Amino acid sequence: MTALSTPAFAQDHAAQNADIAPDMPAKFTVNTDKFDFIRRDVMIPMRDGAKLHTVILIPKSAHNAPILLTRTPYNATLMTSKAESGTMRSVLQGYDNMPDVIADGGYIRVVQDVRGKYGSEGQYVMNRPLIGALNHTKVDHSTDTWDTIEWLVHNLPQSNGKVGIIGVSYDGYTSLTALINPHPALKVSVPMNPMVDGWMGDDWFHNGAFREEMLSYIYNQDATAKKTAIWWGNQYDNYDLFLNSVSAGALGKERGMEQIGFFRQLLAHPAYDSWWQQQAMDHVLADLPLKVPTLLVHSLWDQEDNYGAIALYYALKQKQADQPNLWLAMGPWNHGGEIKEASTLGPIKLPSDTGLYFRKKILEPFLAHYLKDDAVALPKRVSAYRSGSDDWETREALPAWDCTKDCTTLHLTAKYQLAVNGAAETSGSVSYLSDPAHPVPYVQRPVITRGAANSAWDNWLSTDQRNAASRPDVATFTTPVLTQPVALDGQPLVHLTATTSGTDGDFVVKLIDVYPDEVPEQRELGGYQLMVSSDILRGRYRKSFEHPEAIPANQSQLYQFRLPIMNHTFLPGHRIMVQVQSSWFPLYDRNPQTYVSSIFTAPPEAYKPATITIDTAKSWLTVHTAASATP
């Protein structure tokens, strides 16, 4: 036995440790005397026994104050701890918070982790389906919202018992689910850039084409509860990363994503089957009365969810009973751009801060009208920013979904010209070679992963399209220089007639405002090509989104689909352009151009070049001609 292991040494060692007091108390109490708010971290019980982590910020001056709730998968603690400060306005700087509305407005701020994320118990499911055929449990986002509001109104004596729910993107989606069997205390909902239909045109697909750039989001969001597993790549340029991995399915498997339930669902449901249709919130809410005043917020350059708010607006607008509780605001923003300073659109300078206008002139009075006791006038039913002429308009409704009158037609011509309301040519065609080995990048390379500091992701919809126009695999059609303004709004309808030498293929159509060759007040905009509306259609879905079928090689086919909503004036001195191409990479996965049962698992040998021939006499875009609106 050594000297160090003797009983005497052990006794001396214990005596020494007994004299050392721990630095860290069992529970530390923060001195908040100089804070202007009270912070509470609570676990709110749900009906199934799970408890959801909820952060509550109560202004110390709060009395008879309304509550603004956000339910999020993005970390409630982080969202309410944006500064090392005792000032509520400072700690709410950042995503979804808008301190000039929430803190300055005297609201009690509540942010909750949805079940299974960060501090909340339970199991996380991406866009958890509602109770029913796809969810046999007794809980969903609707019930969790109901239970949360029930707890809040009984445990916050500083409140007036009125609750509003608000949020961007996924948090916009949870603001929609709150409208299903809403709690009586829920007085207003503001879904901003909400996820509505992930297949038709929001995060995951657009008209059947998979948004490959969203793999990183799925990995980060769905692999672990606290985002401890982070998407990685050994190549700086995502163009190379996705190209070398061949397919989205193969790349996901390389990253171990088959462990993730939502990734497995993507592989199992590449078409618009009942699994997607039953979850589409525009379908769900159209069948229910809209009992809660709802302000839908849409960004005209939303790089992630530019489908949902408008699809939901039209779905609800069709029901007369829903109209009294329906409002819409749309502005020149990217995804969530309305919650922050917004005096630019990409590199384009706007005359004013359009985000501030929205918050002060539209959002603040809407919330105050329903959540506060003093009378505040409501904004107009539809508030829409008109890009190009750069002013705000108000109207009672958006133009009709189908353009049956007051329409402008943009005809493609065999001479690569675009004829505005001109007579269509009796014959002619334009061809290009689409090669999956050299797809058209959606932004100038290198393509940096979304979320990285130098990524172009946030503003890719407003990036200059000249790089695409210069490629031989992009067909470009342009008007002469305009001598009169052309004001358009609504959703352009693409009527494209084409053949392909392959048996599948994608069709991307972009409507573009081409700036004058010289812009004296901002010279870098000389010749700038700004997309004002653009989208993609996967050719196998040209007849049915639910039942794909091969394209007959070298046979003329009609590809008809709608582009996202626009509200734009093409000014004199500008030109109108339409670009047509068959890849948009790696925003969307490559179409092999050979029909396979699932593009997610297409083998390398399936990817083959194809010649695309556009029948210009039978190809055009139809857009609603803007009527006069109140500035």
Side-chain angles (χ1 to χ4, degrees):
M1 182 178 291
T2 65
L4 292 180
S5 61
T6 62
F9 174 81
Q11 292 172 3
D12 291 344
H13 183 68
Q16 291 173 6
N17 283 341
D19 294 335
I20 299 175
D23 285 345
M24 190 178 296
K27 182 178 181 181
F28 183 78
T29 302
V30 178
N31 186 342
T32 60
D33 290 347
K34 293 187 176 181
F35 282 32
D36 68 0
F37 66 93
I38 300 166
R39 182 187 185 98
R40 295 177 60 184
D41 276 81
V42 299
M43 298 295 289
I44 298 180
M46 301 292 107
R47 63 190 63 185
D48 66 339
K51 296 179 180 179
L52 304 190
H53 173 242
T54 309
V55 179
I56 304 170
L57 305 184
I58 307 169
K60 285 186 175 178
S61 60
H63 172 71
N64 206 33
I67 300 167
L68 270 182
L69 167 67
T70 294
R71 303 189 63 254
T72 183
Y74 300 132
N75 194 342
T77 297
L78 180 65
M79 287 173 58
T80 54
S81 308
K82 290 297 185 179
E84 297 172 344
S85 174
T87 303
M88 187 168 169
R89 204 179 200 280
S90 294
V91 300
L92 291 181
Q93 297 289 336
Y95 186 77
D96 254 14
N97 279 316
M98 298 171 287
D100 56 349
V101 175
I102 297 173
D104 294 355
Y107 292 92
I108 297 172
R109 181 64 169 137
V110 180
V111 183
Q112 181 181 76
D113 292 323
V114 298
R115 61 173 55 227
K117 291 298 289 184
Y118 294 94
S120 287
E121 299 173 353
Q123 295 181 331
Y124 177 75
V125 178
M126 183 78 76
N127 301 107
R128 174 181 285 267
L130 299 170
I131 297 169
L134 302 178
N135 177 1
H136 297 293
T137 74
K138 296 181 179 180
V139 294
D140 56 22
H141 283 302
S142 173
T143 65
D144 285 352
T145 306
W146 204 101
D147 293 347
T148 298
I149 294 175
E150 177 72 3
W151 188 95
L152 292 172
V153 297
H154 286 95
N155 289 275
L156 296 181
Q158 303 92 336
S159 82
N160 63 2
K162 296 180 180 180
V163 181
I165 190 166
I166 190 168
V168 172
S169 194
Y170 199 114
D171 305 351
Y173 165 74
T174 57
S175 298
L176 290 177
T177 58
L179 299 173
I180 299 165
N181 185 29
H183 192 284
L186 183 67
K187 302 301 181 183
V188 68
S189 177
V190 184
M192 306 166 77
N193 312 97
M195 303 163 78
V196 170
D197 190 326
W199 196 95
M200 285 301 299
D202 286 327
D203 288 281
W204 319 123
F205 294 82
H206 274 224
N207 296 316
F210 178 63
R211 306 196 98 199
E212 198 164 30
E213 280 274 52
M214 295 303 293
L215 280 177
S216 61
Y217 174 91
I218 297 168
Y219 186 96
N220 294 341
Q221 177 75 3
D222 225 359
T224 60
K226 296 183 178 180
K227 198 179 177 181
T228 52
I230 302 297
W231 177 264
W232 57 274
N234 292 335
Q235 290 159 291
Y236 182 68
D237 189 345
N238 267 4
Y239 188 96
D240 290 330
L241 172 66
F242 287 101
L243 189 66
N244 294 339
S245 298
V246 182
S247 69
L251 179 57
K253 291 177 182 179
E254 287 176 8
R255 295 293 183 274
M257 292 182 68
E258 286 185 304
Q259 301 170 75
I260 298 173
F262 183 64
F263 181 74
R264 296 195 300 270
Q265 295 284 22
L266 290 176
L267 298 183
H269 302 280
Y272 195 55
D273 58 17
S274 60
W275 191 82
W276 290 105
Q277 293 173 31
Q278 290 179 57
Q279 296 182 70
M281 292 304 295
D282 52 335
H283 297 178
V284 172
L285 290 172
D287 293 331
L288 300 173
L290 186 61
K291 298 178 180 179
V292 177
T294 300
L295 171 62
L296 298 171
V297 183
H298 175 71
S299 296
L300 291 162
W301 277 266
D302 188 329
Q303 76 276 14
E304 296 178 20
D305 295 305
N306 66 356
Y307 175 87
I310 300 304
L312 181 57
Y313 173 86
Y314 279 115
L316 294 175
K317 195 72 172 64
Q318 292 174 359
K319 300 185 71 173
Q320 182 68 31
D322 289 334
Q323 293 183 24
N325 283 328
L326 182 62
W327 281 260
L328 172 71
M330 59 184 188
W333 313 305
N334 60 6
H335 188 67
E338 64 273 16
I339 71 175
K340 53 194 174 185
E341 196 273 339
S343 58
T344 58
L345 174 61
I348 299 168
K349 297 176 183 176
L350 302 176
S352 63
D353 183 346
T354 59
L356 182 64
Y357 179 96
F358 160 75
R359 296 191 302 275
K360 293 299 181 184
K361 302 294 186 181
I362 302 170
L363 180 59
E364 270 192 13
F366 183 77
L367 293 175
H369 182 87
Y370 288 107
L371 296 177
K372 296 184 178 181
D373 296 331
D374 50 331
V376 177
L378 282 167
K380 297 291 185 179
R381 288 285 171 182
V382 175
S383 300
Y385 189 86
R386 173 159 293 279
S387 50
S389 57
D390 293 322
D391 52 21
W392 285 93
E393 302 170 339
T394 59
R395 46 181 93 162
E396 284 303 309
L398 288 180
W401 182 275
D402 294 310
C403 186
T404 55
K405 62 179 181 177
D406 300 322
C407 302
T408 295
T409 303
L410 305 173
H411 288 276
L412 311 187
T413 78
K415 297 178 180 179
Y416 295 96
Q417 293 179 341
L418 195 64
V420 181
N421 292 328
E425 296 179 348
T426 56
S427 63
S429 64
V430 166
S431 297
Y432 59 87
L433 180 69
S434 173
D435 185 356
H438 303 283
V440 181
Y442 76 99
V443 292
Q444 187 173 356
R445 295 181 63 185
V447 181
I448 311 302
T449 298
R450 60 183 300 279
N454 54 346
S455 172
W457 176 258
D458 286 351
N459 293 301
W460 74 262
L461 273 177
S462 56
T463 55
D464 196 340
Q465 296 303 298
R466 276 180 285 197
N467 288 312
S470 65
R471 289 182 57 115
D473 51 358
V474 177
T476 301
F477 306 87
T478 315
T479 67
V481 174
L482 300 176
T483 58
Q484 299 291 329
V486 177
L488 305 175
D489 62 8
Q491 293 191 261
L493 177 63
V494 173
H495 186 105
L496 183 70
T497 304
T499 63
T500 175
S501 60
T503 52
D504 199 359
D506 291 343
F507 294 90
V508 177
V509 176
K510 301 183 286 190
L511 180 58
I512 295 167
D513 184 343
V514 182
Y515 278 58
D517 293 337
E518 187 170 22
V519 180
E521 60 273 19
Q522 199 176 349
R523 284 182 56 82
E524 66 273 20
L525 293 182
Y528 197 89
Q529 296 180 8
L530 173 68
M531 285 192 296
V532 295
S533 188
S534 54
D535 218 335
I536 186 171
L537 171 68
R538 182 138 285 175
R540 59 176 57 202
Y541 300 111
R542 68 200 180 279
K543 294 182 180 179
S544 168
F545 290 133
E546 188 172 0
H547 303 291
E549 62 178 60
I551 300 173
N554 301 309
Q555 292 186 27
S556 181
Q557 299 286 299
L558 174 63
Y559 303 92
Q560 187 166 283
F561 60 106
R562 294 189 181 280
L563 303 184
I565 197 165
M566 58 178 292
N567 195 50
H568 187 80
T569 297
F570 298 85
L571 298 173
H574 291 229
R575 291 176 290 160
I576 305 174
M577 175 183 286
V578 170
Q579 290 179 1
V580 182
Q581 59 200 58
S582 290
S583 55
W584 220 5
F585 186 76
L587 174 64
Y588 296 97
D589 61 339
R590 296 178 303 154
N591 192 312
Q593 302 182 152
T594 301
Y595 189 83
V596 293
S597 59
S598 174
I599 292 176
F600 279 123
T601 56
E605 60 270 19
Y607 292 81
K608 297 179 180 179
T611 298
I612 312 299
T613 301
I614 301 170
D615 184 344
T616 54
K618 298 179 181 179
S619 299
W620 58 83
L621 275 69
T622 304
V623 194
H624 185 259
T625 307
S628 59
T630 304

